[in-house]
Amino acid sequence: MIFKGFIAKISKKEGRSSKGRAWSLYSIKLEKEDGSEYDKWISAGFDPPDAKEGDYVKITAEENDQGYINATDIKRLKNAPARSGKAATGGAGNNVSNTTQKSIHYQSARKDAIEVLKLLVSQDALPLTAAKGKAGEAKRYLELMALVDKLAIRYFFDAETHRLLEAVVDEGAVKADVGKLPEDSDDDEEQDDEEGEDDSDDEEDDE
């Protein structure tokens, strides 16, 4: 069976075997695109899943004789859809996930802003104050910090709204009508998908 959704919660249960060896068991609570959650937790096994809360994922799983759902494969997907349902109406659990996602976007945006400014400075492409001495250093500091903040906010909202998808022309487009947007297709969800994969998996999403 196939599940797709946002990771709402990753639970970790710890214990020791009869021989005293420590173990950790991870479980995932998955949220559908409409904001509702799948009824059952999905066991991710004894190794930490290669995903975090807020990620949009595809989980291939099997149900055992006791009715427990065990993941056999977890893949992070690109082009996650906009979250809705409880996340939009203010459900407490989803507010936590939404806040986490915003924090991730902000941290990434700030790092990107700093890297861009490093490049611009190295290429002498910033109109910074050229004055010498302590006063000049202090002014350049203020100018650079203001630019970091300005670019960080720009990149943050780029990530939050995907506004550049509509504002910037795709250079690789053959013609103006490019058909479906990336998020409407599973073709580029997984970088390592094999050709000929059975599309019937998607029909089992809500099992």
Side-chain angles (χ1 to χ4, degrees):
M1 58 184 68
I2 301 295
F3 298 89
K4 285 184 181 179
F6 296 94
I7 296 180
K9 179 69 176 177
I10 297 178
S11 175
K12 179 181 178 182
K13 182 179 180 180
E14 298 178 314
R16 289 188 175 276
S17 67
S18 58
K19 296 182 179 180
R21 185 174 182 179
W23 54 263
S24 298
L25 181 64
Y26 298 85
S27 299
I28 294 173
K29 191 68 170 178
L30 210 58
E31 175 189 313
K32 302 176 185 177
E33 294 178 17
D34 63 4
S36 62
E37 295 180 351
Y38 288 95
D39 293 334
K40 293 185 177 181
W41 286 78
I42 302 173
S43 175
F46 294 98
D47 295 321
D50 185 21
K52 58 185 178 299
E53 292 180 8
D55 281 352
Y56 186 65
V57 298
K58 174 183 177 181
I59 299 179
T60 305
E62 298 176 347
E63 185 174 1
N64 64 20
D65 295 338
Q66 290 75 40
Y68 293 105
I69 308 297
N70 298 314
T72 57
D73 187 53
I74 301 173
K75 290 185 178 179
R76 288 175 292 179
L77 303 181
K78 300 186 297 181
N79 302 316
R83 298 180 77 172
S84 58
K86 290 186 294 183
T89 57
N94 290 281
N95 279 342
V96 173
S97 296
N98 195 38
T99 298
T100 300
Q101 190 171 31
K102 283 181 177 291
S103 296
I104 293 170
H105 282 169
Y106 178 75
Q107 292 170 15
S108 177
R110 198 163 185 85
K111 289 178 181 178
D112 290 345
I114 292 171
E115 290 302 315
V116 168
L117 286 175
K118 284 181 181 178
L119 176 62
L120 293 176
V121 169
S122 70
Q123 297 300 313
D124 198 22
L126 280 180
L128 298 175
T129 298
K132 304 295 183 180
K134 295 296 183 182
E137 291 178 3
K139 192 167 184 180
R140 282 191 294 275
Y141 169 81
L142 293 175
E143 290 172 346
L144 284 170
M145 292 305 295
L147 286 169
V148 168
D149 291 339
K150 184 177 181 178
L151 285 179
I153 294 302
R154 177 197 294 183
Y155 295 155
F156 171 80
F157 283 107
D158 285 349
E160 285 283 293
T161 65
H162 298 166
R163 59 192 178 187
L164 292 183
L165 293 178
E166 297 179 2
V168 179
V169 176
D170 178 12
E171 292 182 348
V174 176
K175 54 185 179 179
D177 182 8
V178 296
K180 290 183 178 181
L181 293 174
E183 57 266 34
D184 293 331
S185 170
D186 287 337
D187 291 343
D188 59 353
E189 286 180 336
E190 301 164 10
Q191 297 178 353
D192 57 351
D193 275 355
E194 296 182 359
E195 293 185 1
E197 182 176 349
D198 190 353
D199 292 336
S200 63
D201 285 349
D202 289 339
E203 298 176 3
E204 303 173 19
D205 288 353
D206 294 332
E207 287 185 22

